[in-house]
Amino acid sequence: QVQVVESGGGLVQPGGSLRLSCIASGSIPSANTMAWYRQAPGKQRELVASITNFYRTIYADSVNGRFTISRDNAKKTVSLQMNSLKPEDTAVYYCNLIAIRAYWGQGTQVTVAS
């Protein structure tokens, strides 16, 4: 059974940095995409960044240049380095794995506030 677990959320001041990590376990096809989504209160869940097993990346315009997604195929992990954080980045961040079907983590809260 495939499972996805996030870690690394927390409270940070505007302009600060935070790193999220996600590890997948179970039998996962080598062809897959891992991604980070976020959902702020009252808003729809949105894609933040994604990375394929060939390391091709996509970023939301709102985070491009501030966030960096990376992965380790051997360890089945994906990370999101978030710099220059803004209050509008506050949300629950979800790790997503797409391999034939989609798998979601439980989410981790990121709060950017003074």
Side-chain angles (χ1 to χ4, degrees):
Q1 183 176 355
V2 176
Q3 289 188 319
V4 176
V5 179
E6 310 98 334
S7 62
L11 173 65
V12 63
Q13 292 187 340
S17 298
L18 209 58
R19 185 176 181 88
L20 304 182
S21 297
C22 172
I23 185 166
S25 60
S27 180
I28 302 170
S30 58
N32 63 76
T33 296
M34 300 188 81
W36 290 95
Y37 284 74
R38 68 186 181 187
Q39 187 167 19
K43 295 188 176 181
Q44 289 189 331
R45 190 172 297 188
E46 64 175 0
L47 174 68
V48 176
S50 67
I51 183 167
T52 71
N53 55 296
F54 293 114
Y55 304 101
R56 182 172 183 174
T57 59
I58 296 174
Y59 292 94
D61 289 343
S62 59
V63 307
N64 199 17
R66 299 188 297 122
F67 291 10
T68 302
I69 191 170
S70 60
R71 66 183 287 166
D72 185 323
N73 287 338
K75 295 181 179 179
K76 302 180 185 178
T77 60
V78 62
S79 298
L80 186 69
Q81 178 65 41
M82 305 184 293
N83 299 327
S84 302
L85 283 160
K86 305 175 181 180
E88 50 264 42
D89 294 318
T90 295
V92 177
Y93 284 70
Y94 296 91
C95 181
N96 169 263
L97 166 66
I98 298 177
I100 302 177
R101 55 153 286 189
Y103 301 89
W104 292 91
Q106 80 286 354
T108 184
Q109 177 69 46
V110 171
T111 302
V112 184
S114 300

